[in-house]
Amino acid sequence: MVSMIPFGLLAGFVGGREVRITEIDESGFCFRTIEENISDSEALKVCFYDIKNGCYRELKIPEYDIQRFDMVDAELSGFYVKYKVTVKQKAYAEAVQRLLYQYNHYIHLKLEEDDSALAKSLTGYPGELDEVKCDSLEEQVGIWRRELTPEVLESAYNGKRIDLTDNCSQYGTGFKPGYKCQVPPESGVTELALEIDRPELYQEYLNSSLTEFSKKYAGKCIGICGSIILEHRVPDHLYIGNQFCHLLFPERKLLFKIIEKAAAEQVEITLVFSYIREYTGLYNRIA
């Protein structure tokens, strides 16, 4: 059996109660729960995440055999009970094979490829465009800046001159002030995104104007990144949350204040979560 498939890819339900599936193969699965007595008449359902199509597929298990296992470690016996379910259902075996194949493919991509190749394989992201060969960060930044010139924008808009203002947050440099613009996001021109991932940045964003926040953010950056933020003036996109620690995710009230401020300033946002845990610590922070 394959052990500990990530919780977000596989979930089991016994009589409507969610349980943790710890091992699985084509012949059945093992799960653990705090309930000591589960009958063979309980309704079983397994949810498989289809990585290729980005959706969950539910499968009901009408016929099965269930057996309780005694814990090898007596110290753990007071925390949960382990059960083994034997399934003789063709649709179940096919669903398990599909999940294991997709998960194995994902692991190989994580181990053998970079982030661009991984995203390209899973989502169709044009990863080859990320392959910029430079000898230094300054050289690469120079390439980015050349994408923001009036000539490049004119070419992107089929010869139509686009006048940009100093308060147009998407470009912010190389243009005369006094104009207003509304450039569609599909134009492919570079945007500025900032990450606010800890309590002091949440409060600093709420207590400052967007321009002031950008200046403070730039002042804390290392190297040439600060000057890029200052030239861009204000961000187009904010990443809110922390992908490593769920305890750094903002509380519900604070989160909605940030979202409302970003909406008023017409800044797009993306919420960033940590890995999915078995307990509901992150959910409780925003529920």
Side-chain angles (χ1 to χ4, degrees):
M1 283 191 166
V2 179
S3 302
M4 301 305 289
I5 295 291
F7 193 62
L9 300 181
L10 180 67
F13 293 85
V14 177
R17 303 177 302 278
E18 187 170 4
V19 296
R20 177 63 163 113
I21 296 178
T22 57
E23 299 174 73
I24 192 169
D25 64 12
E26 293 91 337
S27 64
F29 58 91
C30 297
F31 69 88
R32 65 190 186 198
T33 178
I34 61 173
E35 299 180 42
E36 296 187 1
N37 296 299
I38 293 182
S39 68
D40 55 7
S41 61
E42 296 272 15
L44 288 190
K45 181 174 66 175
V46 180
C47 298
F48 300 88
Y49 185 71
D50 189 333
I51 298 177
K52 182 178 180 180
N53 296 301
C55 63
Y56 283 94
R57 301 185 184 276
E58 296 184 357
L59 181 65
K60 294 182 179 180
I61 313 294
E63 297 181 2
Y64 60 88
D65 294 322
I66 187 168
Q67 179 183 3
R68 174 174 171 173
F69 277 108
D70 292 328
M71 299 296 297
V72 177
D73 191 341
E75 294 182 356
L76 297 178
S77 60
F79 292 95
Y80 59 84
V81 182
K82 187 175 182 180
Y83 293 87
K84 181 178 181 181
V85 178
T86 302
V87 182
K88 297 179 180 180
Q89 185 176 349
K90 183 178 179 180
Y92 168 82
E94 292 175 347
V96 172
Q97 291 172 358
R98 184 186 306 111
L99 173 69
L100 296 182
Y101 171 79
Q102 293 180 349
Y103 185 47
N104 181 65
H105 178 60
Y106 171 79
I107 291 175
H108 278 286
L109 289 173
K110 287 287 288 184
L111 293 176
E112 300 171 3
E113 303 290 349
D114 56 20
D115 290 343
S116 296
L118 174 65
K120 182 177 182 179
S121 176
L122 297 180
T123 67
Y125 173 79
E128 64 278 359
L129 299 180
D130 288 343
E131 297 179 4
V132 179
K133 307 296 183 181
C134 298
D135 295 328
S136 65
L137 176 60
E138 288 73 13
E139 183 181 348
Q140 188 168 1
V141 170
I143 296 175
W144 297 340
R145 286 177 172 172
R146 286 196 293 274
E147 296 176 354
L148 300 179
T149 63
E151 291 72 22
V152 171
L153 291 177
E154 182 176 355
S155 174
Y157 281 87
N158 299 320
K160 181 181 179 182
R161 171 67 68 174
I162 303 296
D163 290 315
L164 301 175
T165 175
D166 58 344
N167 66 350
C168 178
S169 63
Q170 289 185 315
Y171 311 102
T173 181
F175 302 94
K176 296 180 180 180
Y179 297 94
K180 292 185 178 180
C181 66
Q182 182 62 41
V183 181
E186 61 270 17
S187 63
V189 183
T190 307
E191 69 171 10
L192 174 66
L194 299 181
E195 180 182 38
I196 51 177
D197 58 357
R198 52 190 185 275
E200 57 266 31
L201 288 180
Y202 302 147
Q203 294 298 334
E204 198 166 89
Y205 173 68
L206 288 175
N207 298 328
S208 308
S209 68
L210 195 58
T211 303
E212 291 173 348
F213 176 73
S214 295
K215 290 180 180 178
K216 294 177 182 178
Y217 198 102
K220 298 177 181 179
C221 292
I222 300 175
I224 198 171
C225 295
S227 63
I228 296 175
I229 296 174
L230 290 176
E231 289 185 5
H232 209 89
R233 296 180 181 270
V234 291
D236 313 293
H237 204 114
L238 292 175
Y239 287 85
I240 303 168
N242 193 294
Q243 61 178 319
F244 300 107
C245 179
H246 66 282
L247 297 177
L248 293 177
F249 194 85
E251 299 283 352
R252 175 187 172 90
K253 186 176 181 180
L254 178 61
L255 174 63
F256 278 91
K257 284 184 177 179
I258 295 173
I259 293 175
E260 290 171 359
K261 185 174 186 289
E265 294 171 333
Q266 297 183 339
V267 178
E268 295 184 1
I269 65 169
T270 296
L271 297 183
V272 181
F273 300 96
S274 63
Y275 57 93
I276 300 176
R277 306 179 68 90
E278 286 192 45
Y279 61 88
T280 56
L282 176 58
Y283 173 78
N284 289 334
R285 295 180 69 85
I286 61 177

